[in-house]
Amino acid sequence: MANGPMDRRAFGEQPFRPNGSVTDQSTEYTGRYVVLLDPSNQESGLNALRSSADIASVERVRGTEAANVAELLERPDVSVLFEDLNAAVVEVRPEQRHALVTTAEAEPSIIAAEPERMVYALPITAPQQAPTEFFPAFRSDEDVVARHTRAEIAAGQGPSWIEDKWTWGLQAIRADLSSLTGRGVKIAVLDTGVDTDHPDFAGRIEATESFVPGETVEDGHGHGTHCIGTAAGPASPGQGPRYGVAPEAQILAAKVLSNAGSGTDGQILAGMAWAVAHGARVISMSLGARVRPGELFPQTYEILARRTLERGTVIVAAAGNDSHRPQDIWPVSRPANCPSILAVAALDKAIAPTFFSNAGINGQGGEINIAAPGWQVYSAAPGGGYKHQSGTSMATPHVAGVLALLAQANPNASAADLMAGLKSGAFPLTQPLRDVGAGLLQTP
């Protein structure tokens, strides 16, 4: 094979930014391409790329196969095809990239081809602004009209949260009033891994896999464990208030971001394929990459999201933390800016958008779909402990957990039905749609 090794760091990989700020607005590429193929004619597309762009030899991954995928994605002499999703991460020499793009445009069996980008965990760990400490409480368990009326009254009175039994986030979304638990529903969290020895997750983790070369699924960052806790933490944690939305959901933990909090589109793709093959009803992705005003959503993620929806799986993703409200508001990050992926904004304890939460200013798929608690969220931490974190990353698993509850209540519902039910059940807020979408997430 003529392909030679490639130094991917030459394409601008930058270290994880622990405070969630963006220090370099340039787009970060790996040098590879993500290619989507016609499901009925994969080989024609691959053969066209072989002959015109001399792509690296193709290794195939099927179903729940995951052995050596992380290493395959790192090899500069191998392209990886995820057969179930009809998607490939393609290695090509720099001088052949133009040939790849022109072939993809001309070849009907190639649906889309885009450069692979870096993605990052999306927490805010260095707060720059304190939120208002008064906020509405939602306590009615009656019909929608009565519940909304009481919520408006509570908002006017501004009572404070008492978090001795339930986190403020679970109270805000009315999880404390729901009898649903997520039993029998699988939630896949694609993140920095999980603390598999955390007592709160004992007997709850159905499957794990690391797609990060040289790293096990153990969470050396903390982001993934925290998100998994919010989505599916236990009804009776070892310490502190209940913090998990769906305490009996089955956990699928895919490590697609390194212990430094960074990963690639290819690793995300690998995690998505693995999660779908394992029967996940929900995929939660508290990760992303910054987009510019006016930038369109990535076709590759959008088409993949449609394919997962057809298989009954809903994808939910963080809207991003690039803003500094009110003067500086940035568009929804990728891949949350795809029309077929639910984009989640973060709310503070006043049930208002957090200062960092991105907004739906790009349109054409880049809208906010729903908003959830994302400020000072209490959840699990590596080492068997607990911690508070803020970010759209923290809001996203609240939504994943509620989707699991909806799936439990409606086992025969399609993925589109689950998405529609989630949005129709939200509590309308007074903030603009571009900031909060359908409104405040609510449990069924």
Side-chain angles (χ1 to χ4, degrees), residues 234-397:
S236 299
Q239 178 181 324
R242 174 176 158 181
Y243 56 85
V245 177
E248 292 188 312
Q250 297 161 277
I251 298 167
L252 301 172
K255 184 167 188 168
V256 299
L257 302 177
S258 69
N259 290 332
S262 64
T264 67
D265 286 337
Q267 290 166 329
I268 311 306
L269 174 59
M272 290 170 61
W274 176 85
V276 170
H278 274 278
R281 281 287 259 159
V282 186
I283 295 176
S284 183
M285 303 197 304
S286 293
L287 49 81
R290 190 177 193 174
V291 303
R292 300 179 301 275
E295 182 177 342
L296 297 178
F297 59 84
Q299 291 186 56
T300 49
Y301 274 111
E302 169 58 16
I303 296 169
L304 287 171
R306 291 180 199 165
R307 291 176 179 176
T308 61
L309 284 172
E310 292 170 358
R311 290 167 174 252
T313 303
V314 179
I315 301 177
V316 55
N321 310 325
D322 306 302
S323 300
H324 196 288
R325 295 170 180 268
Q327 70 274 18
D328 187 20
I329 301 178
W330 279 81
V332 173
S333 299
R334 68 190 305 269
N337 63 342
C338 292
S340 300
I341 294 177
L342 288 169
V344 185
L347 300 174
D348 62 23
K349 292 183 178 182
I351 312 301
T354 56
F355 71 90
F356 50 77
S357 189
N358 289 350
I361 63 177
N362 272 352
Q364 298 186 11
E367 299 87 1
I368 293 293
N369 297 117
I370 200 162
W375 179 265
Q376 290 296 294
V377 174
Y378 176 88
S379 186
Y386 307 89
K387 68 183 297 186
H388 291 83
Q389 289 201 70
S390 299
T392 54
S393 278
M394 284 63 248
T396 299

Side-chain angles (χ1 to χ4, degrees), residues 11-333:
F11 293 88
E13 178 177 350
Q14 76 183 48
F16 172 65
R17 299 174 296 272
N19 67 353
S21 64
V22 175
T23 57
D24 181 355
Q25 295 185 18
S26 62
T27 302
E28 302 159 77
Y29 297 109
T30 66
R32 299 182 296 198
Y33 279 77
V34 177
V35 177
L36 299 188
L37 302 164
D38 183 341
S40 64
N41 200 9
Q42 282 186 0
E43 287 306 315
S44 290
L46 292 174
N47 287 334
L49 293 176
R50 289 185 184 105
S51 63
S52 65
D54 195 23
I55 63 170
S57 61
V58 176
E59 293 284 345
R60 299 169 186 271
V61 177
R62 302 177 181 86
T64 58
E65 294 176 0
N68 301 319
V69 172
E71 288 70 24
L72 288 175
L73 287 170
E74 278 295 289
R75 286 177 54 183
D77 61 335
V78 167
S79 299
V80 182
L81 172 65
F82 297 94
E83 289 199 333
D84 290 354
L85 294 182
N86 303 290
V89 180
V90 173
E91 286 280 8
V92 62
R93 297 193 310 278
E95 65 270 21
Q96 293 285 5
R97 289 175 191 155
H98 179 70
L100 183 147
V101 172
T102 55
T103 300
E105 291 174 346
E107 172 57 47
S109 62
I110 298 177
I111 308 301
E114 294 175 334
E116 183 188 43
R117 289 180 59 173
M118 297 294 297
V119 291
Y120 295 91
L122 297 176
I124 293 287
T125 56
Q128 303 175 46
Q129 172 179 320
T132 305
E133 292 301 329
F134 297 96
F135 32 77
F138 304 101
R139 295 293 184 272
S140 173
D141 201 22
E142 301 173 11
D143 61 39
V144 173
V145 174
R147 166 161 54 87
H148 288 186
T149 300
R150 296 185 184 191
E152 290 163 2
I153 293 173
Q157 295 174 340
S160 60
W161 302 111
I162 298 174
E163 295 189 83
D164 56 343
K165 294 182 179 179
W166 303 76
T167 61
W168 79 268
L170 294 195
Q171 294 176 62
I173 67 172
R174 299 176 68 247
D176 55 331
L177 302 177
S178 177
S179 61
L180 296 169
T181 63
R183 178 185 288 272
V185 180
K186 298 178 183 180
I187 301 175
V189 178
L190 278 53
D191 213 288
T192 60
V194 64
D195 176 6
T196 59
D197 293 324
H198 199 297
D200 285 359
F201 300 151
R204 300 286 313 289
I205 301 175
E206 175 163 307
T208 65
E209 191 62 52
S210 175
F211 298 98
V212 179
E215 295 186 12
T216 70
V217 77
E218 294 300 327
D219 186 5
H221 183 284
H223 191 266
T225 298
H226 196 278
C227 290
I228 287 172
T230 299
S236 299
Q239 178 181 324
R242 174 176 158 181
Y243 56 85
V245 177
E248 292 188 312
Q250 297 161 277
I251 298 167
L252 301 172
K255 184 167 188 168
V256 299
L257 302 177
S258 69
N259 290 332
S262 64
T264 67
D265 286 337
Q267 290 166 329
I268 311 306
L269 174 59
M272 290 170 61
W274 176 85
V276 170
H278 274 278
R281 281 287 259 159
V282 186
I283 295 176
S284 183
M285 303 197 304
S286 293
L287 49 81
R290 190 177 193 174
V291 303
R292 300 179 301 275
E295 182 177 342
L296 297 178
F297 59 84
Q299 291 186 56
T300 49
Y301 274 111
E302 169 58 16
I303 296 169
L304 287 171
R306 291 180 199 165
R307 291 176 179 176
T308 61
L309 284 172
E310 292 170 358
R311 290 167 174 252
T313 303
V314 179
I315 301 177
V316 55
N321 310 325
D322 306 302
S323 300
H324 196 288
R325 295 170 180 268
Q327 70 274 18
D328 187 20
I329 301 178
W330 279 81
V332 173
S333 299

